[in-house]
Amino acid sequence: MDWVTGIQNAIDYVEEHLTEEIDYDLVAEQAACSNFYFQRIFSILCGMTLGEYIRGRRLTLAGNELKTSADKVIDIALKYGYESPESFTRAFSKFHGVTPSDARKGGFKLKSFSRLSVKISLNGGILMDYKIVEKEAFDVVEKVETHTVETSENSKSIPEFWTRAHSDGTIEKLLDIACDKTYIFGICYGNLPENAKTFDYSIAAKCDKTAVPPKGFRKNTVPARTWAVFECKGKMPEAIQTMWHKIVSEFFPASGYRPTYEMDIEAYTKGNMESPDYRSEIWVPVNKK
């Protein structure tokens, strides 16, 4: 199953269960990948988190029912997953700009968040620099943190991890022990147990086999794999985010490769990340379809 078909299957499942408690693991099963990778792909491809999509759709439907039915506000709130009128009113007012009671009176415009339909248009002529590379196993020394996919918290916690790494000496320690100072890696480990809600993410550098990691760091081996390597050029994080979208929406649907879902690596070079000429890479382990 390709990513686009999988995402659409998952969206269809969500739409069928909007008035129920939605298990993100079951959503991910519709796309034949882990909860973590599904949420990551969904966010890249659709431009929002899964939680934002579900919330927007529920509040849209709730607004429609307030205008067209005589059901009590509390009944509509409970139907769409809100445990109290107060929590429903807060969410509804933030989304629509009016309270549920005002929406029921009429005369106010409500927001409409449409159902998603994932379509990919391949027009050709799109420049995407990539190469397929066979890499032998290599060792890294890394600072590791555990992050959660719950409510897409990782979209905030990983940038915060990088900010701390630049200020607390982590990057300097990695460069001191590195045998190759070309890159500082961001390694996202995705080979997770079934129904896992957390994953490991590390900031790392390549090291030799005799390297001894400092206290608070670990040594790990990245296995020999076939990698699709994508070159990014431009200001961070926009350049790498744009490339991830191309990888998800253009490369994998049209190429003869699929990701292994074990991990992926963002490789950052020295230089000014604010520069339009800054260069980085994304490495994704792949198999042929």
Side-chain angles (χ1 to χ4, degrees), residues 37-77:
Y37 263 101
F38 171 77
Q39 292 201 53
R40 193 168 189 203
I41 294 165
F42 183 93
S43 180
I44 292 169
L45 190 60
C46 302
M48 69 192 80
T49 67
L50 178 60
E52 288 169 340
Y53 178 75
I54 293 171
R55 183 166 55 253
R57 290 292 296 138
R58 283 174 167 168
L59 289 170
T60 294
L61 296 177
N64 291 339
E65 291 193 23
L66 280 169
K67 294 177 69 174
T68 60
S69 78
D71 293 346
K72 294 179 180 179
V73 172
I74 182 58
D75 292 334
I76 294 174

Side-chain angles (χ1 to χ4, degrees), residues 126-196:
I126 298 173
L127 181 61
M128 183 185 298
D129 292 329
Y130 77 92
K131 52 190 175 183
I132 303 298
V133 180
E134 299 288 341
K135 289 183 180 291
E136 296 182 355
F138 61 92
D139 293 326
V140 295
V141 60
E142 55 187 0
K143 185 70 172 286
V144 185
E145 285 191 352
T146 299
H147 298 263
T148 179
V149 297
E150 292 293 297
T151 65
S152 300
E153 182 63 27
N154 55 289
S155 64
K156 298 178 182 178
S157 61
I158 290 176
E160 290 170 355
F161 182 22
W162 275 98
T163 298
R164 291 196 307 275
H166 281 287
S167 62
D168 66 9
T170 293
I171 301 298
E172 289 80 1
K173 288 180 181 178
L174 289 171
L175 290 173
D176 285 343
I177 202 170
C179 66
D180 181 349
K181 303 181 190 299
T182 305
Y183 301 110
I184 291 292
F185 299 125
I187 305 178
C188 192
Y189 292 98
N191 196 9
L192 306 175
E194 186 177 355
N195 298 326

